[in-house]
Amino acid sequence: MMQNTEGKKSESETYLRVEKLKTQFFTARGIVKALDEIDLTIRKGEIYGLVGESGCGKSVTAQSIMYLVPDPPGRIVSGKIYVGNVNILTGLEQLAKITVKSETNVKIKRNKRMIKRHNYLLSRIRGDRISMIFQEPTLALNPVIRVGDQIAENILLHLKVDMANAILRREMSTRKDYESFVQKALSIGDKDARNKAIREWCESYSISDAEELVRNIFLTYQDPETVVKSIEFIVNERKSGTNINRLSRAREYYLYQQRLFEATLNLMEAESGKNQDEIDRARTALNEIKKEGSSFLSFRIINKFIGKRIEAPLRDAAKRRVHELLNLVNIAEPERTALSYPHELSGGMQQRVMIAMALASNPQMLIADEPTTALDVTTQAQILDLIRNLNRQMGSSVLFITHDLAVIAQMCNRVGVMYAGNIVEEADVNTIFDNPKHPYTIGLLKALPRADRIAGKMVKLETVAGSVPNLITPPTGCRFHPRCKFKMDICEKKKPELDDLGDGHKVACWLYQEPGGSGK
Amino acid sequence: MATESNVGGSILKAQPVKHRPRVEDFKSTFKLFIKNRLAFVGFVIVLIYFTITILDYVYPSYLGVKDINTIASWVPQLSSGVPSGPTLSHGWWYIFGETLYFAPIFPVMLAALKTDITYSILIVLTGALIGIILGTMSGYFGKLYDEVLMRVTDIFFSVPTLVLAIAVTVVLGKSLQNVVIALIIIWWPIYARLTRGVSLSIKSNKFIEAATAAGSSGLRNVFVHILPNVLSVVFVQFSLDLGSIIQLFAALDFIGFNEGSPLLPELGNMLTWGTSYLVSGIWWPIVIPGIFLLIFTVAINLMGDGLRDVLDPKLRR
Amino acid sequence: MELRYFILRRLLLLIPTVLGLSIFMFILIEAVPKAILVTPYINPHSRIPYIIQEANALKILGFNYPPPIAYLFYLDRLLHGNLGLMSMPGYPNSVAAAIVDAFPNTIQLTIFASLLSIAIAIPLGTYIGARPNSIADQAGRVFSLTGYAIPAFWLALMLQIVFGKNILLGNPLGVLPFSGSFSASAIPNPTPSWFVNGITYPTHLVIFDALIHGDFPLFVDALKHIILPVLTLTYGILAGILRFMRAGMVDASNQEYVKTARSKGVPEKLVIKRHIRKNAMIPTITVMGLLVAGLLGGVVLVEYVFAYPGMGYLTTQGILSYQIWLVIGTTLIFGLILVLTNLIVDVVYALTDPRIRY
Ligand SMILES: Nc1ncnc2c1ncn2[C@@H]1O[C@H](COP(=O)(O)OP(=O)(O)OP(=O)(O)O)[C@@H](O)[C@H]1O
Ligand code: SF4
Ligand SMILES: [Mg+2]
C-alpha cells in the first residue's frame, strides 16, 4: 500500500522517461547495437548518475535523448523519450525506413518532409526544456562567435515571449507611474531634492535620457502641464513609442508560433496513434491556427527587414540576462567575459560558459556528459560544486554521466549502471554503494578504493575480468555473461529484464528473478 | 588524457585507440583507391593517354606517316583553304575533320600527346626533384638555410605562375625548349615548400629523435626517415600538377612561344591553328583538341583526388 | 586599434618582398643580351652612329657598372616610375604609360570576376556543403572539377564559338561581341574629347567613362564586351572557391560546436547560416591568395583570346615583338598586385577569425 502511493508519487514527479530506447550504428563493419532497449526515468529535481565502462553507451544515451546521434551512421531505431509530456520520438517510424538486408547491407530511406517537421519539433524542445553540457568545452563552443552572443542566442530562441511580457509590463506600469510621479516631484519645493528624486525615478526605470528629462523639467519649472507633456513625449517616442507597439505585435506573433507548435505536436502525436478521427481533428486544428498566420503577413515582412530593431529591447534584456547567468556560474567579470571569444578563456571558464548557456532558458532537465573530464582537478571540483548548487537552486533535474564512481557518490541521488548498451542496475546512491546486487556492479565497487579498505596496507585492486564486448556481435542473453562469475544456463539464452526488487532498486540479472515468469 | 582523480575511475576510462597507418602496403592502398570509381576511371584514362604517348615513341608508324613531328608529313603540299568538317567518308583519321593545311585532326592530335605529355612529365619530374632536394635539406641544415629558402620561394610565389613563365621564357628566348626550362625554374618552389613542411614536422617527430639517439647520422636520417614520408605527399601533388602543367604548357605555346616550331603537333599549337578559322565558323579545329586536353586534365584531377584520399586522409577536401 | 598596427606591420613586411621581387626582375633583365635591352633606346633615324647610341643607353641604364650597382640604377628608375622603353606601333613609348592605360581594364576584369564568383560560390558552396553526397553535391563536384581542369584559353575560345556574334550561322545564342572592349561602331560621332586614341578618360574604363559622360549606347556596348571575358575568368575561380567552401562546410558540420548549437534548439537553417558557414569561410579565405594568383594568370590568356586591352593583352603583344622591358614591367606589376591582394586577404582573414592574434 505504502509502496504503491510512493510509486505513484514518483511517477507524477517524473520529468524524463525513456522507454525501450534502441539506438544503432549502421557501419561498414556491421550494425553496432549501442543501446538495447533501455528504460530510464529521471525525477524532477534529482541528479541521476549514469556510470559504466568506456564504450558501454553512456554518451549514446545522452545523445539519443537530445536526438543528436550522428546520422549517418547512427539512428534511433525505436523507443519513446518523454521530455515532460512530449515524446520527442513522435513519428519516429515516418522519419526513415530502415531495411536491414544483412549486417553490412542496410538501406535507409529518409523522408525529408517528415524530418523537417521533426527538426522543428526538436528545435522547440532542445535548449528550452532540456539542455546539454559537453565533455570538451574547447570544442563545444563556436570559435568565431563571442561567448555572450552564444549564450544570448539560447535566450532569444526560447525566452522571447517571457521577455517581451516583462518588458511590456514594465513599460505599461511606467506610463501609469510617471504621471503620478511628476505631480509628486513638482510638489517638492527644494530644487536639489527634486532633482535627486527625478534622477532616481528615471534610473529606476533605466531611462537612459535621465539627464535630458531632468533638464526638461527644469526648463518648464513653472508649468506642470508642460513637464508632464515633455516626459510623456520622451517616454512615448524616444524610449518606447513605436518600438513598444511593434514589440507587442511581435509578442502576439511569438504566441502564435507557440500555438502553431503545439498544434503541430498534437498532429504528430495523433499520426503516430493511427486513429483517423484524431488525426483529422488535429489536422483541422492546425489548419485553423495556420489561417491566423495570414494576419501576421505584414508583420513578418516588416520583421524580415527590421527584425533586429523590433527585437532591440529583447536583445538588451538578453544581454542583461547573460550577465546575470555569468554571475551565477561564478565568472568574475561578466561584461568582459561576454565580449570575449572562447579561445580567450581557460578551460574552466569555458565550461562555466557552457553551463551558463545550458541554463540560459531555464530548462527543467540538464544532461552533463562527463563535464569535468577535460579539466584539471581543482577546476573539476569547482565545476561539480557549481552543478550541484545550481541543481539545488533551480530545481532542474540532471542526468550526470561519468566513469568516476567517486564523483557519483558525491553528486548523485540515484544511479544507473550501464553495461554494453543495457542498464543493468538502478538504485539510489546509498543502496548502490552499500548493497549492490548485479555482479557487474559488485565488480566495479570492488575496484573502488574505500576508506575502510585503504586503512589496511597495500590493497590489491580487483578489476572486472575480461573486456567490453564488441557491440556488433554482442553476447546473447545477458550481455555480461562471458565475464560473469555467477553465470547460469539461462543467462546465455534469455535477456533478463530490469526488475524492481522493491524501493526502486532495479536489477537486470537472473540471480534475482524467476526465469519464465515475469519476475514480479 | 583524463585526469587521474581516483583509481576507481581509471578502470572505466577510455583506452586510446591506435590507428593503423593507411599506407601499410601497396596492395591495400591500391584496393582502397580502386574502390573510388571515379578515381579509377581517371586512372584508366590517364593510362590510355600514356600508352598512346609510348606508342608515339616506339611505333610511330601506326599514325601512317614517316615523321610525326610535323604536320607537313600528313599534307605534302601546304595549301591553304577551308578545312572540311568531321566525316567518316575519308576513313578513321578524318573522323574529327581537318585543321591547318587540311591535316587530319585525329592522328595529329595523337602525335601531339608525345610533345605535351613528355614535356609535362619532364617539367614536373625535374621541378619535383630539385624541390625535394632543396626542401628536404631544410629539415637537415636548419634555421638559416630554411629562412633563405623560404624567402626565395616567397618571391617566386609573389608572381602569378603564368606571368612568371612568360617573363622567364621571353628572357631565355622564345622557343618550346625554353618554355620547358622556364616552367622547371618556376615549379620547384612548390615542391620545396611541400617537402620542407613535411620534413620539418617529421624531424620534430619522436622516431627521428630516437634514431638520432641510437646514433643514426643526420644525413642518414634525411634519406631513411624523411624522404619516404615526403614521397607519398609529393606523389599526390605530382599527379595533380601534371594537369596544371599540361594546361600551362599548351597555353604558353598558344600565346606565341611556338615561333620556332609552328608546324609541331602540340595541343596549344593546334588551337592556334584553329583560331585562324574561328571567324569563318569552323569550330572543330578548336573544339576537338580542347576536349581531348580537357579529358586528360579531368581524368588526372580525378585520379589525384582519389590518390589524396587514399594516401593522405588528413588532406581530404 | 590593434588592427591598425597589424596592417602597418604587414605593410612593413611588404618591403623586403617587393625588394626581392625587384631583384628577381633585375636578374631576369641581366640574363638578356644587352643589345636587345637597348633596342628601344636607339633611334634608327638619328645621325648619331649606332655604337655611340648603344654606349650612351648602356650608360644611362647603368649597365657599364657591375650588376649590384646596375641594380641600384634599376631600383632608382623603378622608384621614379620608370619601367623602361618599348616600341610598338599604336602604343606609347614608355612602358609605364602603356601599363597605366591598360591596368584599369585588367583590374576591372579581375574584380568583376572575383565578385561574381564569390557571390555565386559562397551561397552555392553553403548549399552543397550542407548536403554532402546529395545529387546537388555530385553535380557541384563535377562542375568544380571541370572548372579546375578546363584550360582558361580553351574555355574562352569555346565561349566565343557558342556566344560570339556571327561565328556559327543560325546560332540563336550568338549575340555577344568577342573582341576588344567596345565596338568601333559604338564610338559616338563626332569623337568626344574624353575619347582619345581608343582610350577613354578619366578612368580608362569604357563602361564607367560612358556612364560618367552619359553615353548610354556605348555603355551597353562595352558591357556586352566584358561579359564573355568575365564569365571565362569567373568559372575558374568559382570552381576553386566552391571546392574549398564545400570542404569547409563539411568539415565544420562535423565539429562539436554544431552539436552544441543543435542542443540549444537552434533551427537547422540558422545552424547552417550562423554556426557552420562562418567557420567554413575561414579556410576558404586562406586560399583566396592562391586563387587570385590563378586568376591573374588566367586574365592574361583571356585578354589575349578576347583581345581585351588590359595588361595581359599588352604582355602578349610584347612577346610577339620581343619587348623585354614591357614584359618585365607587366610581370612586376602583376607581382605587386598579387602581393597587395595577399595583404588584403590576410587582413580579411584576421578580421574573420578571432583566433588570429595580430
Ligand atoms: N559514430 C559512431 N559510429 C559507430 N559506432 C559508434 C559511434 N558512436 C558510438 N559508437 C559505438 O557505440 C558504443 C557506445 O559508445 P559511447 O560513446 O556511448 O560510449 P561511452 O559509454 O560514452 O564511453 P566513454 O566513457 O568512452 O565516453 C560504442 O561501442 C561505440 O563503438
Ligand atoms: S544474468 Fe547471469 S550472466 Fe548476467 S549478470 Fe546475472 S548471473 Fe551474471
Ligand atoms: Mg562518452
Side-chain angles (χ1 to χ4, degrees), chain A residues 141-184:
Chain A
L141 290 168
N142 193 325
V144 298
I145 303 180
R146 293 178 198 277
V147 294
D149 292 341
Q150 294 192 48
I151 302 174
E153 184 177 31
N154 205 358
I155 301 171
L156 285 168
L157 280 169
H158 302 296
L159 293 183
K160 271 181 178 169
V161 176
D162 294 358
M163 284 194 303
N165 278 340
I167 292 167
L168 288 171
R169 209 179 307 123
R170 202 174 61 211
E171 291 300 336
M172 298 320 265
S173 68
T174 312
R175 273 165 210 229
K176 266 185 240 142
D177 247 31
Y178 77 82
E179 211 161 306
S180 63
F181 171 76
V182 169
Q183 298 299 339
K184 210 172 79 199

Side-chain angles (χ1 to χ4, degrees), chain A residues 438-440 478-482 484-488 490-492 494 496 508-512:
Chain A
H438 196 280
Y440 176 64
C478 171
R479 285 187 176 180
F480 187 59
H481 81 247
C484 184
K485 285 182 195 159
F486 310 97
K487 194 187 84 177
M488 302 169 290
I490 179 130
C491 301
E492 285 180 46
K494 209 167 163 199
C509 173
W510 288 122
L511 290 175
Y512 307 98

Side-chain angles (χ1 to χ4, degrees), chain A residues 372-499:
Chain A
T372 56
T373 315
L375 306 175
D376 63 77
V377 186
T378 21
T379 324
Q380 258 185 30
Q382 288 168 3
I383 297 284
L384 291 179
D385 273 349
L386 182 65
I387 293 177
R388 207 167 31 217
N389 289 339
L390 290 174
N391 162 257
R392 258 178 228 147
Q393 275 174 37
M394 308 196 145
S396 47
S397 327
V398 180
L399 170 59
F400 193 93
I401 295 174
T402 179
H403 52 243
D404 193 334
L405 282 166
V407 172
I408 290 277
Q410 281 173 43
M411 296 279 297
C412 303
N413 308 104
R414 271 189 329 134
V415 186
V417 179
M418 269 195 99
Y419 182 79
N422 287 309
I423 292 189
V424 292
E425 182 161 11
E426 182 187 282
D428 62 62
V429 65
N430 293 328
T431 316
I432 282 280
F433 281 90
D434 297 337
N435 186 17
K437 291 280 196 238
H438 196 280
Y440 176 64
T441 318
I442 296 172
L444 279 188
L445 288 167
K446 278 214 183 113
L448 185 72
R450 287 210 172 183
D452 49 331
R453 294 203 204 132
I454 290 176
K457 315 159 253 166
M458 277 277 286
V459 187
K460 187 162 175 281
L461 286 172
E462 284 180 55
T463 54
V464 187
S467 59
V468 198
N470 169 355
L471 292 183
I472 292 177
T473 47
T476 52
C478 171
R479 285 187 176 180
F480 187 59
H481 81 247
R483 295 167 77 182
C484 184
K485 285 182 195 159
F486 310 97
K487 194 187 84 177
M488 302 169 290
D489 283 346
I490 179 130
C491 301
E492 285 180 46
K493 290 178 191 132
K494 209 167 163 199
K495 183 186 163 186
E497 295 294 314
L498 193 60
D499 199 32

Side-chain angles (χ1 to χ4, degrees), chain A residues 53-54 373 375 380 403-404 406 444 447-449 461 463, chain B residues 1-3 5-15:
Chain A
E53 272 165 309
S54 183
T373 315
L375 306 175
Q380 258 185 30
H403 52 243
D404 193 334
L444 279 188
L448 185 72
L461 286 172
T463 54
Chain B
M1 222 18 256
T3 50
S5 62
N6 70 66
V7 196
S10 62
I11 62 149
L12 299 176
K13 233 170 269 163
Q15 297 294 315

